[in-house]
Amino acid sequence: MVAVSRFVEFSATGQTFATGTSTEKTAHGTRGFSRGTGLGSGNDSFTITLNSNDQLAVNINNVGPETITLSSGTDLDPRFVARDIAFKLHSANADDAFKFSQCEWRNGYGPTSNPGPNDQNSFIIWSGKMANNGGANDVNVTSPGGRDARATVGYDTVDERAGVDFATDFASSSFTGDVTVSGVYGGQLDDFYTVQISDGELVENATPNGGNTYTGSSTTDGTYIGSADDTYTVTIDTTNGSTMGAGSANVPQFTVTDTPGADDNANPIELLYADHYYDVGNLGVMIKFSDAVFGNGDNFAINAFVASGTGYPKAPGSAQYIWSSSLGDSSKSIGIGATTTQNTGTQLGTKAVEISWSGATSLDLEERFNVICRGPQPIDSDVTQLNFGNVTVSTNSSVKVVWFELISGAVSMSTVKFSLQADGTFQHHDQGDNDTEFHYGTSGGGNPAPGAGPTSGSQVEFSVDSDGLGNIDATDIDSDTPPSNLFATKADLAVVNSADNAESLGNFQGAVVSDFIYLAIKLGANETGANSTINYRMFFDFS
Amino acid sequence: MVWIGEKEIKMRRGWVVQYKDGTVICEDEMPWNKVPNKKEIRRVILKWEDRTWSLDDKEHYTVPKIRGYVDVNSAGVANEGINSRTIGYYDLEEKCRVMVRVDETTGRMNYETEPF
């Protein structure tokens, strides 16, 4: 098989985080970053060779440098490489600058006030802390010595910027109080949320030109941070290709014009992947497209608005806010509009995180607060064996948690399924005699669980203890009816031989990583013997 | 023995592209996202042993897909394989992808459509 895949193991009691950690006050300021600007056309896969070009030395906010070793492989997918860099940074140093750092493969800077000149697809490493810190809160990628990966991933030239302080992030500010971020993030992947004080949403849906060839769906999101209302026009160029997924130099590109603003971008940006957000300009607007054919000159108009409301500044309790995230989790996407700020926690995102404001102070339009969310960290990144250990008859094993990912040779994954292919040497599976059962459950970014929270659009991708639902244990997956923190469960997987009869799994935005799979075994009362071997099989389409 | 243009296709199974100038590239030479100049492709062919299915002169070809499987088990014995392969094209009039799917075991071909 051309594509290279692997299973990644997580702990069922793995931690996730939501933090406003900042060199100023909590949730104040923007993150520093380093973008690798050394990539050119055609650089959408990366060959990293063990002990040769597999290391980066990274200093964040004057912490480090820490040397990280990247996973090696041929023609690695950039979204995988970004995820790998982030995992390695998280564990490289316990300081928040590393612990909450992130790495993305993207074309823009997102909602920051300091856009730079390079807006091609590239890797960006973000500081785990917000604000400027006297210019120190940036990210420096330097030589690790002899195993330098910088040129491979575009960090032979860089654009490095320190974060921006709260008060200098926008024209005026009035808030002098404190922000509290609470709750435990229930997401599968790292994400970054921006809260903006406004009574209304900032980014409208895209309006396709009536003459467009493209008949798929476009979705907009983001937090617009411009100083005046603006209308963007995204124009497609199909000189190199008409459909996404065909590889760099063979896909459609887009340019951006805007009026009356000055956030245009005449540099063509490649639409490498379907269902993947791209930045429109550098002021926070994003768009993604489903898989369909573009025509040359197809264009899409997007209205973006400055924060709106009357009577501002207003105290917490009166001022309102909207929110959005890098992954597209937003008040717009779930259609709830603005939420009133409170001294007690109110909704930020759909994954159990809350935010509150305190102090005798007021909030002004456009004021923004940022929250970093970190998904669970793997405990083993290339799993070839699932050993449930010693299990006593009539009891459940511990729960194993894995996701499945393609790391090279494919740009999308679909129709992902999971099955028990063989029950091996077990003698009492489906025998009607206090049987052995193979429990299964799933949830994740593709198919989130509904959760139990009171908030709109509540969902759980990875269940953590502090969300009030508890971690997943074997009793959560011993029924065909899932609890609220799982999308689907099966008390006992039957042995099946085809994908048609396997259990369906989600994968977020058509990307190359599956939702979480939870597995446990309950040994039947009559089961005897040791070292029984079973085989799980993952089915998937990839292209 | 299968020849596409002037090239003998030694690869047992997989996709083959033939350009307007006659150049031929096979799946075992590079992944699809590295195949250059896709706008110049004249034919996309799916080969299964000595059988071939060809989609000719389509304006927009889809990315070829593989339906595969990978195992994980309690013994640490990795196993992987392919169930079927597809090639296809976008039909703008019908707003669908037309796919040729060939079963990896039997070589049996089916047409499938997916709306977009």
Side-chain angles (χ1 to χ4, degrees):
Chain A
M1 206 177 322
V2 176
V4 178
S5 63
R6 68 182 193 177
F7 288 88
V8 179
E9 185 172 3
F10 296 80
S11 168
T13 58
Q15 285 185 292
T16 63
F17 301 92
T19 178
T21 182
S22 170
T23 62
E24 297 186 290
K25 290 182 176 180
T26 296
H28 282 50
T30 66
R31 298 175 295 177
F33 63 85
S34 177
R35 171 194 286 278
T37 58
L39 300 177
S41 178
N43 290 138
D44 64 344
S45 63
F46 303 91
T47 297
I48 295 171
T49 305
L50 182 67
N51 296 325
S52 174
N53 62 331
D54 61 348
Q55 292 188 334
L56 296 173
V58 183
N59 180 307
I60 307 177
N61 192 32
N62 278 347
V63 179
E66 300 290 349
T67 297
I68 60 172
T69 302
L70 311 184
S71 296
S72 52
T74 302
D75 290 333
L76 296 172
D77 184 279
R79 296 160 295 179
F80 162 76
V81 174
R83 213 163 47 241
D84 184 52
I85 290 173
F87 283 144
K88 302 292 169 53
L89 290 173
H90 294 161
S91 56
N93 191 301
D95 189 278
D96 283 359
F98 278 83
K99 184 178 179 182
F100 302 122
S101 61
Q102 296 185 351
C103 184
E104 291 181 285
W105 170 256
R106 65 186 286 177
N107 66 297
Y109 288 113
T112 72
S113 297
N114 50 356
N118 184 317
D119 37 25
Q120 296 299 312
N121 294 292
S122 55
F123 292 104
I124 305 177
I125 297 174
W126 298 92
S127 168
K129 301 189 85 162
M130 266 95 65
N132 187 261
N133 195 26
N137 186 28
D138 61 358
V139 176
N140 312 123
V141 181
T142 56
S143 171
R147 295 161 64 176
D148 197 346
R150 287 181 300 168
T152 305
V153 293
Y155 273 95
D156 45 345
T157 61
V158 296
D159 183 0
E160 297 173 346
R161 309 290 178 97
V164 176
D165 282 339
F166 177 75
T168 55
D169 193 24
F170 22 78
S172 66
S173 62
S174 65
F175 185 71
T176 57
D178 294 310
V179 174
T180 301
V181 176
S182 56
V184 178
Y185 178 59
Q188 176 177 4
L189 305 168
D190 293 352
D191 205 356
F192 181 75
Y193 286 84
T194 297
V195 170
Q196 178 143 246
I197 301 301
S198 174
D199 289 0
E201 293 290 354
L202 312 175
V203 180
E204 280 192 346
N205 294 329
T207 303
N209 184 302
N212 284 356
T213 298
Y214 182 79
T215 56
S217 60
S218 58
T219 306
T220 58
D221 218 307
T223 300
Y224 177 64
I225 64 168
S227 56
D229 294 351
D230 203 5
T231 297
Y232 292 93
T233 300
V234 173
T235 303
I236 305 295
D237 177 351
T238 62
T239 301
N240 293 341
S242 304
T243 57
M244 296 168 283
S248 182
N250 289 280
V251 293
Q253 303 174 98
F254 72 94
T255 54
V256 178
T257 56
D258 67 324
T259 182
D263 192 27
D264 62 321
N265 181 11
N267 300 319
I269 293 169
E270 292 189 316
L271 290 167
L272 288 172
Y273 311 116
D275 302 314
H276 179 87
Y277 273 112
Y278 291 86
D279 291 312
V280 177
N282 279 311
L283 297 176
V285 177
M286 308 188 299
I287 192 167
K288 66 178 179 180
F289 298 98
S290 65
D291 179 31
V293 178
F294 287 100
N296 196 40
D298 281 359
N299 59 79
F300 305 81
I302 307 168
N303 290 322
F305 305 103
V306 295
S308 60
T310 58
Y312 281 89
K314 292 180 180 178
S318 295
Q320 293 189 293
Y321 69 98
I322 50 100
W323 45 270
S324 72
S325 82
S326 298
L327 296 180
D329 186 20
S330 67
S331 50
K332 172 181 181 286
S333 66
I334 64 171
I336 63 167
T339 302
T340 301
T341 57
Q342 300 288 351
N343 295 132
T344 55
T346 48
Q347 179 171 11
L348 172 55
T350 58
K351 302 178 182 69
V353 177
E354 295 187 325
I355 188 167
S356 61
W357 289 262
S358 61
T361 182
S362 58
L363 288 150
D364 205 355
L365 291 172
E366 295 186 42
E367 286 182 332
R368 289 182 293 277
F369 304 90
N370 293 309
V371 173
I372 300 169
C373 292
R374 202 188 96 173
Q377 190 83 349
I379 56 175
D380 189 344
S381 290
D382 197 0
V383 177
T384 57
Q385 183 175 17
L386 286 179
N387 189 335
F388 288 90
N390 293 326
V391 186
T392 306
V393 293
S394 303
T395 65
N396 287 313
S397 71
S398 60
V399 174
K400 293 285 184 184
V401 188
V402 295
W403 79 29
F404 174 76
E405 63 184 9
L406 304 179
I407 67 173
S408 69
V411 297
S412 70
M413 186 165 69
S414 59
T415 321
V416 189
K417 294 191 169 187
F418 186 83
S419 70
L420 179 66
Q421 189 266 340
D423 55 10
T425 51
F426 285 97
Q427 299 297 307
H428 298 276
H429 179 221
D430 286 343
Q431 298 299 310
D433 57 352
N434 294 317
D435 292 342
T436 294
E437 294 179 341
F438 298 99
H439 303 329
Y440 158 88
T442 182
S443 63
N447 289 326
T455 54
S456 298
S458 171
Q459 53 186 255
V460 176
E461 297 171 4
F462 182 78
S463 189
V464 283
D465 195 37
S466 302
D467 67 359
L469 297 168
N471 297 124
I472 301 300
D473 62 30
T475 59
D476 291 315
I477 55 175
D478 67 355
S479 163
D480 290 349
T481 303
S484 59
N485 51 352
L486 286 169
F487 176 78
T489 53
K490 199 78 177 173
D492 184 22
L493 291 170
V495 174
V496 300
N497 292 315
S498 76
D500 293 341
N501 299 317
E503 305 296 320
S504 293
L505 274 177
N507 64 313
F508 181 63
Q509 293 187 346
V512 284
V513 56
S514 82
D515 288 356
F516 292 108
I517 305 162
Y518 298 87
L519 301 167
I521 298 173
K522 180 183 179 183
L523 279 188
N526 301 318
E527 203 72 69
T528 59
N531 300 321
S532 299
T533 299
I534 58 172
N535 194 60
Y536 294 111
R537 177 160 289 180
M538 177 74 69
F539 297 97
F540 53 100
D541 288 3
F542 63 93
S543 57
Chain B
M1 190 178 300
V2 173
W3 289 77
I4 306 292
E6 295 181 356
K7 186 168 186 172
E8 183 185 0
I9 309 301
K10 295 179 179 175
M11 167 187 78
R12 286 182 62 207
R13 299 168 186 178
W15 51 257
V16 181
V17 296
Q18 184 175 25
Y19 289 86
K20 293 169 185 171
D21 68 359
T23 305
V24 172
I25 294 176
C26 299
E27 182 174 352
D28 61 351
E29 296 172 49
M30 65 182 73
W32 180 262
N33 64 342
K34 295 300 178 191
V35 172
N37 303 320
K38 293 188 176 73
K39 295 191 87 169
E40 298 300 312
I41 292 173
R42 191 178 77 79
R43 304 169 68 195
V44 176
I45 301 145
L46 189 54
K47 178 178 185 286
W48 188 92
E49 304 300 338
D50 59 350
R51 303 182 205 174
T52 59
W53 294 265
S54 180
L55 298 173
D56 295 3
D57 300 317
K58 304 300 180 188
E59 198 170 355
H60 309 290
Y61 291 101
T62 65
V63 182
K65 282 187 178 179
I66 289 176
R67 177 163 293 168
Y69 63 86
V70 172
D71 294 348
V72 64
N73 53 48
S74 52
V77 180
N79 191 25
E80 63 180 28
I82 293 173
N83 294 118
S84 62
R85 303 169 190 264
T86 63
I87 57 172
Y89 64 94
Y90 295 86
D91 186 326
L92 291 183
E93 287 187 4
E94 298 297 327
K95 295 182 179 177
C96 67
R97 300 177 199 89
V98 179
M99 316 290 287
V100 171
R101 181 179 297 278
V102 174
D103 185 276
E104 187 74 357
T105 305
T106 64
R108 182 177 175 181
M109 185 277 278
N110 285 304
Y111 276 108
E112 297 176 1
T113 59
E114 298 174 346
F116 65 81

